[in-house]
Amino acid sequence: MHAALVAATERAGAVIVPLEEADAVIWADPAAVDVFPELMARAGSARWVQLPYAGIENLAPFLDPDRIWTCGKGVYADDCAEWMMTALLSAFRDIPVFARASSWQAQSGRNLLGAKITLLGGGGLAESFLRLIEPWGCDVTVVRRNPRPLPGAARTVTTEDRFEAVAGADAVIVCLALTPETTGIVDARLLASMPDDAWLINIARGAHVVNDDLLAALDAGTIAGAVLDVTDPEPLPDGHPLWDHGNVLITPHVGNTPEMGLPRLAARVEENVRRWRAGEELIGSVDVASGY
Amino acid sequence: MHAALVAATERAGAVIVPLEEADAVIWADPAAVDVFPELMARAGSARWVQLPYAGIENLAPFLDPDRIWTCGKGVYADDCAEWMMTALLSAFRDIPVFARASSWQAQSGRNLLGAKITLLGGGGLAESFLRLIEPWGCDVTVVRRNPRPLPGAARTVTTEDRFEAVAGADAVIVCLALTPETTGIVDARLLASMPDDAWLINIARGAHVVNDDLLAALDAGTIAGAVLDVTDPEPLPDGHPLWDHGNVLITPHVGNTPEMGLPRLAARVEENVRRWRAGEELIGSVDVASGY
């Protein structure tokens, strides 16, 4: 990853220098939170910092408003939207049931064609997803802070109206940034507002879902099941009760894999370095106050 | 099914009469091959016969060219195309692997976005599939008897060129009618022409695939795996070696389930009865000489 981002930076015409001399920083490791404040302090002359990945909730507390911060938002949207479609189709067409069988099963499955889908989140993932699902003729409701219309969505509503927005859904997909406001947004009340045959799908962060409430809904049969690419904690430990439910499919944070993402992040870094040098607006700027 | 098709026929303004008095016959049971010749002989005045399902290979030997025959071709195309997308995404995103696991797995998966797909067959399923996959930006090659272009396909080639057509594919999907010419079309030579990391997907008929050749390719690792909605024999018996391969996903002929298909078939019957009464061209006419 380091080599790929160095190459991208140099392709855009910039020179790699020690941290203390840098005008800009390309931060490559989202997990190295412990050294982030100290290294940023050393980069005193850096006015722009490019962060990796789209979700930056672990770095958000350390972002000072005096610099320009960009992250990988949008970089991984198409890959994650592809996973969203995979999750929907796998759930609706009973792929986990058939994958686990070693004998011919009874026919089952339902159509995604014409289904009602509710998205919690109206950012880059939602935009990419709406583009991919367009030929399916689905009725898509988007729940977002600002109910600005999105191309391909039948309607957008505010977060306050989320309970009504999931009431008629065949599937509810969480594709939100994780902030203090959205942590635990999938709680007992939201799950209870979903139809008994609706699927919950999470491509965002494990902490968006209250695990105990989800387990209670699964055990009570008040939702059809869940497809989770993110869990809390992550990795989900062996023996966790979510592993025991036949109507839960867990994928190991593969909405976007490093193999898929690195070429896309490198292209974003190259483009942003080029823009930075040309004095143009950067892509993926972070709203420091909002934390994403 | 009988009640739904009677209702559809009556909605179109026709009257249900004994077989011997019928101008037209709506045949509802594709499995009742044994009584088909005798009952058709009794329907001496029927000039048009509507057959169920899209694949009619079991009835084809009994179709006389003096009547107009129509079948359900196209009725199930959207459902089957949805299954084709489900199979592709499940295979590429390793859903069977994750569905079978009860612990956190290593990240894996590849993109359907931008992939190279080869379809064996250029009929209604291919048309519906091309419509659904359009936003993925895939490079789709269609192999068909008459290489007439199809909207959304990068190219169409004739059956003779099928070996070259699968050589660069990430997935090969069989969506052909079963005829003497296409029986066993997926044989050792075709499988050997596919890249080692290509998936075989079959939504057509089990007899399109030579099982022993497929098993040999799977055992030798010369293809990535297979997703099969149809098998030979069907249902696939317990203990069949195809059940033993981790990179094989078998679904029980659910491209289109009866639940999905009946409303669509009833709508087709209603439309064709209406057209028959109005003297208009019928939908889904069978080429008796070709058998589909």
Side-chain angles (χ1 to χ4, degrees), chain B:
Chain B
M1 182 149 170
H2 180 264
L5 298 186
V6 165
T9 302
E10 292 179 339
R11 274 198 305 276
V15 179
I16 306 296
V17 298
L19 194 55
E20 290 75 4
E21 302 165 24
D23 297 324
V25 173
I26 313 296
W27 187 267
D29 188 348
V33 180
D34 50 337
V35 296
F36 186 79
E38 178 206 334
L39 290 175
M40 280 301 110
R42 280 171 52 194
S45 59
R47 287 162 299 143
W48 164 46
V49 183
Q50 169 76 49
L51 302 172
Y53 297 105
I56 56 158
E57 66 277 2
N58 55 346
L59 299 177
F62 308 111
L63 308 190
D64 58 273
D66 298 334
R67 313 195 208 219
I68 296 168
W69 300 88
T70 55
C71 70
K73 64 173 77 165
V75 166
Y76 315 101
D78 282 353
D79 295 333
C80 291
E82 180 174 290
W83 183 91
M84 290 158 77
M85 290 295 292
T86 307
L88 272 178
L89 287 165
S90 296
F92 281 29
R93 290 305 197 111
D94 282 342
I95 295 301
V97 173
F98 301 140
R100 293 165 184 152
S102 55
S103 65
W104 197 259
Q105 300 297 295
Q107 286 184 307
S108 65
R110 58 196 279 199
N111 281 124
L112 176 59
L113 291 159
K116 292 180 182 172
I117 310 295
T118 298
L119 304 184
L120 301 183
L125 266 60
E127 283 181 36
S128 287
F129 173 78
L130 285 163
R131 196 175 60 79
L132 293 183
I133 205 171
E134 190 275 330
W136 261 264
C138 290
D139 182 287
V140 183
T141 300
V142 176
V143 178
R144 61 193 312 206
R145 287 205 302 177
N146 169 358
R148 184 170 50 86
L150 271 175
R155 67 197 66 78
T156 56
V157 302
T158 62
T159 313
E160 291 68 41
D161 293 331
R162 62 189 180 277
F163 305 106
E164 295 76 14
V166 304
D170 296 306
V172 175
I173 310 182
V174 188
C175 52
L176 276 167
L178 186 67
T179 67
E181 289 71 37
T182 66
T183 298
I185 192 170
V186 180
D187 57 10
R189 184 176 168 197
L190 192 98
L191 291 160
S193 303
M194 291 168 55
D196 289 358
D197 62 353
W199 283 84
L200 176 72
I201 294 175
N202 191 0
I203 181 68
R205 287 290 184 263
H208 282 119
V209 176
V210 180
N211 276 347
D212 287 346
D213 293 353
L214 173 58
L215 287 164
L218 290 165
D219 290 334
T222 60
I223 66 170
V227 188
L228 309 172
D229 192 45
V230 288
T231 57
D232 181 23
E234 193 171 302
L236 194 70
D238 287 1
H240 191 284
L242 280 170
W243 290 117
D244 295 336
H245 288 75
N247 53 350
V248 172
L249 171 63
I250 293 165
T251 65
H253 207 128
V254 291
N256 164 276
T257 67
E259 195 179 14
M260 295 172 193
L262 185 52
R264 298 187 195 267
L265 180 62
R268 167 69 70 87
V269 165
E270 181 176 346
E271 175 63 16
N272 264 355
V273 171
R274 190 198 64 70
R275 288 177 177 231
W276 174 254
R277 296 185 66 232
E280 298 172 11
E281 188 182 2
L282 303 180
I283 309 172
S285 70
V286 173
D287 178 339
V288 172
S290 301
Y292 67 92

Side-chain angles (χ1 to χ4, degrees), chain A residues 38 80 109 124:
Chain A
E38 178 206 333
C80 291

Side-chain angles (χ1 to χ4, degrees), chain A residues 77-170:
Chain A
D78 282 352
D79 295 334
C80 291
E82 181 174 289
W83 183 91
M84 291 158 77
M85 291 295 292
T86 307
L88 272 177
L89 287 166
S90 296
F92 281 29
R93 289 304 195 113
D94 283 341
I95 295 301
V97 173
F98 301 140
R100 292 165 185 151
S102 55
S103 64
W104 198 259
Q105 300 296 295
Q107 286 184 307
S108 65
R110 59 196 279 200
N111 280 123
L112 176 60
L113 291 159
K116 293 180 182 171
I117 311 295
T118 298
L119 303 184
L120 302 183
L125 266 59
E127 283 181 37
S128 286
F129 173 79
L130 285 163
R131 197 174 59 78
L132 292 183
I133 206 172
E134 190 275 331
W136 261 264
C138 290
D139 182 286
V140 183
T141 299
V142 176
V143 178
R144 60 194 312 206
R145 286 205 302 179
N146 168 359
R148 183 169 51 84
L150 271 175
R155 68 199 64 78
T156 55
V157 304
T158 62
T159 313
E160 291 68 41
D161 292 331
R162 62 190 180 275
F163 305 107
E164 294 77 12
V166 304
D170 296 306

Side-chain angles (χ1 to χ4, degrees), chain A residues 107-240:
Chain A
Q107 286 184 307
S108 65
R110 59 196 279 200
N111 280 123
L112 176 60
L113 291 159
K116 293 180 182 171
I117 311 295
T118 298
L119 303 184
L120 302 183
L125 266 59
E127 283 181 37
S128 286
F129 173 79
L130 285 163
R131 197 174 59 78
L132 292 183
I133 206 172
E134 190 275 331
W136 261 264
C138 290
D139 182 286
V140 183
T141 299
V142 176
V143 178
R144 60 194 312 206
R145 286 205 302 179
N146 168 359
R148 183 169 51 84
L150 271 175
R155 68 199 64 78
T156 55
V157 304
T158 62
T159 313
E160 291 68 41
D161 292 331
R162 62 190 180 275
F163 305 107
E164 294 77 12
V166 304
D170 296 306
V172 175
I173 309 182
V174 188
C175 52
L176 276 167
L178 186 67
T179 67
E181 290 72 36
T182 65
T183 298
I185 192 171
V186 180
D187 57 9
R189 184 176 168 199
L190 191 97
L191 290 161
S193 303
M194 291 168 55
D196 290 357
D197 63 353
W199 284 83
L200 176 72
I201 294 174
N202 192 0
I203 181 69
R205 288 290 185 261
H208 282 120
V209 176
V210 180
N211 276 348
D212 288 346
D213 293 354
L214 173 59
L215 287 164
L218 291 165
D219 290 335
T222 60
I223 66 170
V227 188
L228 309 173
D229 192 45
V230 288
T231 58
D232 181 23
E234 192 171 303
L236 195 69
D238 286 1
H240 191 284

Side-chain angles (χ1 to χ4, degrees), chain A residues 239-258:
Chain A
H240 191 284
L242 280 171
W243 291 116
D244 296 336
H245 289 73
N247 53 350
V248 173
L249 170 63
I250 293 166
T251 65
H253 207 128
V254 291
N256 166 276
T257 66

